[in-house]
Amino acid sequence: MRFSFLIFTAVIASCAAVTHSLQRQAAERGQLCSLKNVKVDESSGVAVSRRARGIYWTHNDSGDGPNFFAFDSNGADLGTYTLKGVDAFDWEDMASARIDRSPYLYLGDIGDNISQRKRVRVYRVPEPEAMPGSHAVTKFETYILTYPDGAHNCETLLVTPNGDIQLVTKNDFGLSAVYEAKRPSGSGTYSMKKIGDLKIESSNVYGHMLTGGDISSDGDAVVLRTYMGALLFRSKDMQAWFRATPTPITLTLERQGEAICFDLANHRFLTTSEGSPCRVSFIKIPD
């Protein structure tokens, strides 16, 4: 009888441990929502709102117009916004930042699969109020950015807390470069400076390719993602964050997921997946 009781107790303890483990995993990662807006079918960039808690922004890859979309943590459609008079060549990433206490969205028309674009464009938009419906955006700045050493394919746009713009190139062999345009002031053409190189280690070619990234709102961390996972760089120096040893992050399995951002509190990452309805996942940031 005593032996049976001990076995019963051990089984109960084991079940409790498994349940606790599953609960912990569910709290650390999972699906946040699916977007109700079916027009989002090839999400390539995602950014958290700096204007309203619980609001996020995304845009499609090449093939769509100059549109970006608002949604909340339940996936509700909170509006389609269109830059007036703009051609969208290859939008690949977006970022949000609060500059001089004002919230902005940055949209990166930076893709270049065959490395032929001598100039790429980043649009800065005062973050609008998210509301259902279609909205024309006429107030924005256009930054034409030139590389110092020829064209590059790029899918990662970063904006530092002081407004500097950084582009991190995409390379099949894992050697990416980081370029920077010091805080642009007004629409115009700006020359970028190469500030460093970044070697992405992976046994898989898809683990080499950088497809998006973000800087935390406190400027203490950078996250980059590939098709296979993500890398977290902790650094207070936004001019040299790429020299830090990154922490690998396992992401939720996605159908060609390309986008990633920090949430407003810097407690977790959000990622999006291609396809409609677009799935949005979350991953707790490791301590």
Side-chain angles (χ1 to χ4, degrees):
M1 178 70 70
R2 178 175 175 78
F3 183 68
S4 298
F5 176 76
L6 290 176
I7 293 177
F8 176 76
T9 303
V11 169
I12 293 298
S14 177
C15 290
V18 170
T19 300
H20 176 73
S21 177
L22 292 174
Q23 290 174 338
R24 179 178 57 80
Q25 291 178 34
E28 291 181 351
R29 64 177 58 244
Q31 182 172 335
L32 180 71
C33 63
S34 290
L35 300 194
K36 306 298 191 297
N37 189 342
V38 296
K39 291 182 290 187
V40 182
D41 58 1
E42 201 175 359
S43 176
S44 186
V46 65
V48 65
S49 170
R50 308 286 181 173
R51 175 173 178 164
R53 186 174 297 276
I55 304 298
Y56 305 91
W57 300 89
T58 189
H59 64 81
N60 284 321
D61 208 329
S62 57
D64 195 6
N67 306 312
F68 56 103
F69 311 92
F71 64 94
D72 66 13
S73 56
N74 295 315
D77 177 3
L78 296 182
T80 298
Y81 297 77
T82 303
L83 297 188
K84 193 75 172 177
V86 167
D87 292 324
F89 182 81
D90 192 359
W91 286 23
E92 286 292 354
D93 200 8
M94 69 182 303
S96 62
R98 184 171 284 275
I99 308 298
D100 297 330
R101 300 184 179 181
S102 297
Y104 291 95
L105 299 176
Y106 294 75
L107 299 151
D109 191 344
I110 56 178
D112 190 8
N113 289 328
I114 57 177
S115 298
Q116 66 175 1
R117 300 178 70 185
K118 296 180 180 180
R119 298 178 174 184
V120 294
R121 295 173 183 264
V122 173
Y123 302 99
R124 187 176 86 156
V125 182
E127 184 180 336
E129 180 182 359
M131 62 179 67
S134 298
H135 311 276
V137 178
T138 58
K139 183 180 179 182
F140 58 90
E141 295 177 334
T142 302
Y143 306 142
I144 302 172
L145 307 181
T146 62
Y147 293 100
D149 52 2
H152 296 275
N153 192 19
C154 181
E155 296 187 10
T156 301
L157 166 67
L158 307 174
V159 178
T160 70
N162 67 354
D164 297 335
I165 294 176
Q166 295 181 358
L167 302 184
V168 187
T169 62
K170 179 182 181 182
N171 190 298
D172 295 357
F173 303 102
L175 183 60
S176 295
V178 184
Y179 295 87
E180 183 178 72
K182 286 297 185 181
R183 181 175 175 171
S185 57
S187 296
T189 300
Y190 297 87
S191 297
M192 292 187 290
K193 177 183 178 181
K194 183 178 179 180
I195 62 173
D197 288 307
L198 181 62
K199 180 67 174 176
I200 308 299
E201 302 291 348
S202 177
S203 59
N204 188 303
V205 64
Y206 295 106
H208 288 148
M209 301 179 186
L210 295 177
T211 64
D214 196 22
I215 295 177
S216 61
S217 59
D218 55 14
D220 284 350
V222 173
V223 64
L224 304 177
R225 78 161 295 174
T226 70
Y227 294 115
M228 303 298 292
L231 298 168
L232 176 63
F233 298 80
R234 297 190 184 277
S235 174
K236 294 182 181 295
D237 185 355
M238 287 297 102
Q239 307 302 308
W241 58 264
F242 43 85
R243 297 195 183 105
T245 300
T247 300
I249 307 294
T250 300
L251 301 181
T252 303
L253 185 63
E254 295 174 327
R255 172 186 168 185
Q256 194 169 337
E258 294 189 3
I260 192 167
C261 72
F262 289 89
D263 70 2
L264 195 59
N266 301 319
H267 289 160
R268 59 185 182 177
F269 304 121
L270 266 65
T271 66
T272 59
S273 177
E274 290 193 358
S276 181
C278 174
R279 187 179 72 179
V280 183
S281 300
F282 71 87
I283 304 94
K284 182 178 180 293
I285 298 176
D287 295 333

